[in-house]
Amino acid sequence: MPNIVFRGPVLRSAALACLASIAAAALAGSQTFAAATIGAPITVPVPAPQKGSAESLKDEYRRPAEIPFPASNPFTPEKLKLGKTLYYDTRLSGSGAQSCASCHNPGYGWGDGLAKGVGDGMKELKRRSPTIVNAAWGLIFMWDGRAPSLEEQALGPIQAAVEMNMPIEKLLERLNSITEYKTLFEAAFPGEGITPAGIGKAIATFERTAISGWAPFDSWIDGDAKAISASAQRGFALFNGKAQCNTCHVGWNFTDDSFHDIGLPDADIGRGAFLGVAVKMRQAFKTPGLRDISRRSPFMHDGSMATLEAVVEHYDTGGVARPSRSDLIKPLGLTVEEKADLVAFLKTLSGSSDVIAQPIQPR
Ligand code: HEC
Ligand code: HEC
């Protein structure tokens, strides 16, 4: 498997197509002929496996080898250290009681384990706190897509009255009064001082390192035929076949970074707040990735489903029929065994996860 690095704002589908074709070529074994007379080797690609074959399907699910960081905010260890410290620091909130980790906690699959987030003054938010796992590959953020980048997103919850309720000027003042923060910012952004842009870049850098661990599914994709059960293997076939889950939950991280109405009964208009004229965007929400999925119930933007069994049951019935509902969501006619197979497959997507040490807070 060649090293594949996604960099810059590549479209996921394009990147995946590229990943699939490179992997297919690797699988088939590109033949390299050393052309003695010309000098440079000439590579003749061997035809890729037939589309639709089990092997080419598996290639679409191979994990990338590296985390992508944008050219506008390249990785440095100093930014990571500062970002992690800020992420866990409750002094970023007006009440001094909440940090990003209060709602995006590694112990809860980088969510909070609640149906709806709980913000400043213990007030319930409108939606569930999504995971930030694999956000490095995200193309657009929030359930309704209102944040274009992790850098910009980070400054939102800090200032939002309902979340951390901390005006940015007050935050800059507070951070400037903490000597060790001055040192951390100077190391990460020499000569720039403590700025909102620096806070966003540092937190985004830390978030990009929150990636899902190697899962039984990955071992199976890698060729270990016994890594997942026969039931889960049937579930994988259903996911990509009869149940059509893969039309929206695309590729190794299982998302198309797009918005769909899957027929949930609640009244939240989601993406419709921005693209109200498009019928299909009314009540549409961002497709969540499915990595580590069994760690973060309850599910959906409204936290309305407690188990993966309930999720599969929902897809089997097709939910509420209305003009905005995706054409792909309709009664599936799954048998009891097929539903169990789908759930067994979904459970193979949770990997080993390392214990994450909380940083010492600067004084
Ligand atoms: C009070 C709970 C709470 C706190 C504190 C909080 N968030 Fe969130 N976060 C949420 C909720 C709820 C959403 C979804 C809101 C929506 O889509 O309308 C969200 C969405 C996000 C997303 C988008 C994820 C995606 O895939 O679309 C990111 C990234 C994120 N938060 C990072 C942060 C960072 C960084 C901080 C700290 C600066 C933070 N959050 C603080 C509750 C919280
Ligand atoms: C039309 C696109 C589409 C199809 C097809 C689809 N999903 Fe989804 N899926 C979504 C969207 C969008 C959400 C989030 C919906 C919301 O919260 O309003 C979601 C949510 C989920 C969740 C909850 C994730 C979380 O973090 O809360 C799971 C699990 C899931 N889907 C599994 C499946 C399975 C299994 C299938 C096939 C039976 C499937 N999906 C088919 C788009 C789709």
Side-chain angles (χ1 to χ4, degrees):
M1 182 65 192
N3 251 25
I4 288 151
V5 190
F6 297 153
R7 291 210 191 281
V10 275
L11 276 176
R12 174 169 308 281
S13 53
L16 282 170
C18 168
L19 170 62
S21 66
I22 296 171
L27 205 79
S30 289
Q31 296 170 358
T32 306
F33 301 100
T37 46
I38 312 168
I42 302 164
T43 308
V44 182
V46 170
Q50 283 299 303
K51 190 81 192 146
S53 77
E55 284 313 309
S56 76
L57 185 60
K58 279 189 178 182
D59 285 335
E60 291 172 24
Y61 290 97
R62 242 173 259 273
R63 299 167 66 97
E66 291 182 45
I67 304 175
F69 287 86
S72 55
N73 186 20
F75 176 87
T76 68
E78 292 79 13
K79 270 191 245 177
L80 174 62
K81 186 172 181 204
L82 170 62
K84 183 174 182 181
T85 310
L86 289 166
Y87 187 91
Y88 280 94
D89 197 335
T90 54
R91 289 169 295 184
L92 263 62
S93 65
S95 65
Q98 281 202 311
S99 68
C100 308
S102 305
C103 302
H104 305 285
N105 183 331
Y108 288 105
W110 298 94
D112 57 14
L114 302 169
K116 301 269 171 73
V118 174
D120 188 63
M122 297 302 284
K123 280 191 290 282
E124 188 173 85
L125 302 178
K126 269 171 46 195
R127 295 176 184 154
R128 181 168 69 99
S129 308
T131 184
I132 60 147
V133 88
N134 297 339
W137 286 269
L139 301 176
I140 185 162
F141 301 94
M142 311 307 266
W143 286 109
D144 55 15
R146 66 184 183 276
S149 70
L150 289 176
E151 281 77 3
E152 285 180 48
Q153 195 286 330
L155 299 172
I158 297 175
Q159 300 171 84
V162 289
E163 291 183 64
M164 296 165 80
N165 198 17
M166 175 62 123
I168 202 78
E169 304 74 36
K170 204 170 142 204
L171 175 60
L172 296 178
E173 211 177 283
R174 193 178 277 183
L175 292 177
N176 268 304
S177 72
I178 302 167
T179 317
E180 286 177 46
Y181 263 124
K182 286 192 192 164
T183 315
L184 284 169
F185 271 92
E186 182 53 30
F189 305 103
E192 291 179 27
I194 299 181
T195 64
I199 295 169
K201 283 182 171 179
I203 290 179
T205 300
F206 170 64
E207 289 180 292
R208 290 192 175 99
T209 65
I211 53 171
S212 57
W214 185 268
F217 176 71
D218 296 310
S219 299
W220 183 65
I221 289 294
D222 222 28
D224 176 356
K226 294 213 169 75
I228 67 173
S229 69
S231 168
Q233 294 184 34
R234 288 194 301 272
F236 176 71
L238 287 162
F239 190 89
N240 291 283
K242 183 174 174 185
Q244 296 190 72
C245 315
N246 69 328
T247 30
C248 303
H249 297 283
V250 181
W252 79 278
N253 193 32
F254 299 91
T255 175
D256 58 359
D257 275 288
S258 191
F259 303 85
H260 309 274
D261 172 5
I262 62 162
L264 299 180
D266 89 324
D268 191 336
I269 60 165
R271 188 73 176 149
F274 304 94
L275 298 171
V277 282
V279 174
K280 291 290 179 199
M281 288 299 116
R282 229 179 286 143
Q283 296 189 247
F285 292 84
K286 193 176 80 170
T287 311
L290 299 179
R291 288 275 172 177
D292 288 343
I293 188 68
S294 52
R295 294 227 182 89
R296 26 170 216 278
S297 60
F299 303 107
M300 305 300 172
H301 73 271
D302 55 1
S304 58
M305 291 173 200
T307 62
L308 289 172
E309 284 78 5
V311 170
V312 169
E313 200 58 49
H314 165 80
Y315 282 112
D316 188 47
T317 63
V320 181
R322 56 192 172 212
S324 57
R325 189 182 66 174
S326 163
D327 297 335
L328 292 159
I329 304 294
K330 54 189 174 225
L332 296 172
L334 299 172
T335 65
V336 174
E337 196 202 18
E338 286 172 333
K339 288 182 207 171
D341 290 344
L342 267 174
V343 171
F345 161 65
L346 291 170
K347 287 186 177 164
T348 67
L349 302 178
S350 297
S352 51
S353 83
D354 299 333
V355 175
I356 298 184
Q358 205 165 316
I360 309 263
Q361 298 300 321
R363 305 309 307 179

